Amino acid sequence: MKKDFYLTRYALIIKKLESAPATYAQLEDYLLNSFEFQDADIKSYSIRTLQRDIREISNLFNLSIHNKKKGDNRYYIESRPTMEVDEYNQKLLESFQVSNALNVHPDFSGYIFFESRKPTGVDHFYDLFFAIRNKRVVTFEHYNFKNKLMTSRKVHPLALKESKGRWYLIAIDTNDQLLKSFGLDRINYLDVSKTKFREKYRYNFREHFKNAFGVMNLTEQKPQKITLKCSRHQGEYIKSFPLHQSQNEIKETPEDIYFEFFLHPTYDFMQEILSYGKEVKVLEPKSLVDEIRNHLKESLNSYLED
């Protein structure tokens, strides 16, 4: 068994057991007939390897797998981690599956194409993660695109948030004690000090961002019901890849699909809607309709002025 193949085995075992319980023989047949095993030219999978994989899956993903269900010896996932950890597991499995495909086949460049835009700032990720877990005070220089200024910051780091391929640090700015977001791609001269902060902040970021689109919701703003009318063509795409976890399809006609959301009508969300052009129209709330209408008028005027 190839030593660098274990992550792929874990992903395949979890995928199989998530669909239905399976005996060792069924798991073995599933694995050996998978394209991953065929490409790696692996022709055997022992019960001993399965038992070892189950222990490692438990340690790595916090998934408890057993095979004593009603005496039929089928393996099944007995318990799942919390929703937060489950989301992390899914991201991890996706990364494993992609990275394994690239590692097994060094000639992937002729078949697999990545987005040409390169993310920046991720080199700070682990340092900030360490600072958050250990409550370390952090200092850095941060560039503001709007006023084009570089400012010195001293913060209490609390969380990391992803949005549209960018990572943000969520932290308390010690200058004014306000909760703010800082793009990792605009952070320079990062320093994680040995000084710890003792404040016990009571933010529940899962709740905090539950009704947010992007990372802009750091103020006390109430979420609203938002209704969209989408063309049938665009609506099918939005249906298959929801814009937000609160998305709910409320109506269909031969020409259109209607969706309802419950979130903060942030600038990020407005930009997302505008990106669909005439294919998506906001029906409510009126405040968001007016904001988009004014934005479109200003955009049109900027072209007419030319």
Side-chain angles (χ1 to χ4, degrees):
M1 186 68 66
K2 295 186 177 182
K3 291 183 178 180
D4 60 351
F5 197 67
Y6 61 96
L7 295 176
T8 296
R9 298 201 309 268
Y10 300 166
L12 289 169
I13 290 169
I14 293 171
K15 180 181 178 181
K16 175 63 176 176
L17 296 183
E18 280 184 331
S19 63
T23 63
Y24 160 68
Q26 291 170 330
L27 276 168
E28 180 189 34
D29 182 69
Y30 173 77
L31 294 172
L32 295 181
N33 283 287
S34 68
F35 291 135
E36 290 87 346
F37 269 62
Q38 291 178 45
D39 270 346
D41 197 30
I42 297 174
K43 303 185 183 302
S44 65
Y45 184 71
S46 68
I47 184 70
R48 184 177 178 180
T49 302
L50 172 61
Q51 292 168 345
R52 184 171 61 247
D53 286 350
I54 286 173
R55 287 195 299 271
E56 292 303 318
I57 287 172
S58 176
N59 293 333
L60 186 59
F61 298 101
N62 196 27
L63 286 172
S64 181
I65 297 175
H66 294 281
N67 69 327
K68 298 297 181 183
K69 187 176 183 179
K70 298 181 180 179
D72 60 11
N73 289 323
R74 288 185 300 166
Y75 290 89
Y76 65 101
I77 298 175
E78 182 181 54
S79 61
R80 302 197 68 87
T82 63
M83 182 182 297
E84 295 93 330
V85 178
D86 227 15
E87 291 177 1
Y88 162 79
N89 286 348
Q90 188 58 45
K91 288 282 187 181
L92 203 57
L93 285 170
E94 290 172 2
S95 298
F96 290 165
Q97 289 166 330
V98 172
S99 63
N100 180 69
L102 305 186
N103 287 330
V104 172
H105 300 285
D107 59 342
F108 68 86
S109 60
Y111 310 97
I112 301 174
F113 301 91
F114 295 96
E115 178 63 60
S116 59
R117 292 185 298 176
K118 296 180 180 180
T120 58
V122 291
D123 49 315
H124 298 313
F125 190 94
Y126 194 86
D127 290 355
L128 290 170
F129 181 48
F130 175 87
I132 292 167
R133 289 188 296 112
N134 293 280
K135 296 186 181 298
R136 296 284 188 88
V137 175
V138 169
T139 59
F140 53 82
E141 299 288 314
H142 188 259
Y143 184 74
N144 188 304
F145 287 139
K146 190 172 183 180
N147 57 31
K148 298 183 179 179
L149 291 176
M150 184 79 79
T151 56
S152 297
R153 304 287 181 147
K154 182 179 180 181
V155 304
H156 294 173
L158 302 179
L160 290 162
K161 176 76 167 64
E162 181 194 15
S163 177
K164 293 187 176 181
R166 295 178 185 265
W167 281 97
Y168 296 83
L169 169 67
I170 310 301
I172 295 291
D173 191 330
T174 60
N175 183 52
D176 53 19
Q177 298 302 309
L178 294 179
L179 184 67
K180 299 177 182 178
S181 64
F182 303 93
L184 266 60
D185 57 328
R186 286 171 279 151
I187 288 178
N188 294 287
Y189 308 110
L190 175 71
D191 180 64
V192 178
S193 74
K194 294 182 179 180
T195 304
K196 292 191 174 186
F197 58 91
R198 297 182 178 180
E199 287 83 351
K200 295 183 178 180
Y201 301 107
R202 301 186 181 278
Y203 292 103
N204 182 333
F205 287 109
R206 181 151 296 278
E207 287 297 315
H208 194 80
F209 289 111
K210 182 175 67 175
N211 300 116
F213 190 92
V215 294
M216 306 306 292
N217 175 38
L218 299 179
T219 59
E220 295 300 325
Q221 181 186 13
K222 292 183 178 180
Q224 301 180 44
K225 183 178 75 172
I226 298 174
T227 306
L228 302 183
K229 175 185 176 182
C230 308
S231 68
R232 164 65 62 174
H233 174 74
Q234 190 60 58
E236 293 292 351
Y237 280 101
I238 293 175
K239 186 193 298 186
S240 64
F241 191 42
L243 299 182
H244 186 261
Q245 62 182 4
S246 67
Q247 179 173 307
N248 181 37
E249 182 184 339
I250 57 174
K251 180 181 176 182
E252 280 195 39
T253 70
E255 296 80 23
D256 305 298
I257 302 177
Y258 295 74
F259 297 101
E260 188 176 272
F261 302 83
F262 188 69
L263 48 74
H264 301 269
T266 60
Y267 179 79
D268 279 5
F269 186 71
M270 184 180 76
Q271 290 296 308
E272 182 72 18
I273 298 306
L274 287 168
S275 71
Y276 293 107
K278 64 182 179 61
E279 302 295 320
V280 176
K281 179 181 179 181
V282 177
L283 300 182
E284 59 176 329
K286 185 178 182 301
S287 58
L288 183 57
V289 173
D290 292 340
E291 190 173 0
I292 288 180
R293 182 184 293 116
N294 292 334
H295 185 95
L296 290 172
K297 285 181 179 179
E298 291 176 5
S299 296
L300 179 59
N301 288 336
S302 71
Y303 280 98
L304 294 175
E305 290 171 0
D306 294 339

